[in-house]
Amino acid sequence: MAAMQTNRAHETKYAWAGGLTVFAAVMLTIAGLIAVFRGIMGIAEDDVFVTTRNYVFEFDLTGWGWVHLILGAVAVIIGIGLFQPAVWARVGGVAIAGLIIIANFLSLPYYPVWSVVMIAMSGFIIWALCVARKEDFRV
């Protein structure tokens, strides 16, 4: 009886670890696609962005567009790689989500509401990738 309960606990742990990794993979892929679209809008100098004066981290809008486009493309690639529980993908996912947080913080005055949404989404991605340990996965 005790062995059966221990086996169920391990099965539940595996399910949670796998579920969180899939959650992170889907969210990182979506965040990457959104960043790609935001980058395209920035490169095209769309009118949806707020123009700001005297901002410390001032780039021109095309520069921010290229930053978001590149980060988004890398995030999509890593997000697809996360569908296989590989350590490189988890480490890359945490790193790229952290870079997305930094890029959205620095471009906060240009697109404030969406930057805050992307910061929160990337925080959940980092949490989901860090909460599951390697021994929680079946090998």
Side-chain angles (χ1 to χ4, degrees), residues 3 49 87 93 126:
F49 293 98
V87 175
I126 291 172

Side-chain angles (χ1 to χ4, degrees), residues 14-128:
Y14 295 145
W16 273 100
L20 285 173
T21 303
V22 170
F23 168 79
V26 170
M27 293 300 285
L28 188 61
T29 304
I30 290 171
L33 287 173
I34 291 170
V36 165
F37 293 138
R38 182 176 177 182
I40 291 169
M41 288 185 329
I43 293 168
E45 296 186 11
D46 203 347
D47 292 335
V48 298
F49 293 98
V50 177
T51 54
T52 328
R53 283 197 216 146
N54 301 327
Y55 183 53
V56 176
F57 304 110
E58 187 175 340
F59 274 163
D60 93 325
L61 191 54
T62 306
W64 280 120
W66 281 108
V67 168
H68 287 288
L69 181 69
I70 292 167
L71 284 175
V74 173
V76 168
I77 292 167
I78 292 175
I80 292 169
L82 276 171
F83 284 106
Q84 301 171 354
V87 175
W88 70 266
R90 290 178 62 198
V91 170
V94 170
I96 199 70
L99 290 174
I100 288 173
I101 287 174
I102 292 169
N104 279 289
F105 176 75
L106 295 177
S107 66
L108 199 59
Y110 298 102
Y111 208 39
V113 175
W114 194 249
S115 291
V116 171
V117 169
M118 289 299 291
I119 289 169
M121 185 185 287
S122 297
F124 280 119
I125 292 166
I126 291 172
W127 170 79

Side-chain angles (χ1 to χ4, degrees), residues 5-18:
Q5 289 177 345
T6 304
N7 192 24
R8 282 189 194 153
H10 288 296
E11 291 294 321
T12 303
K13 190 183 261 191
Y14 295 145
W16 273 100

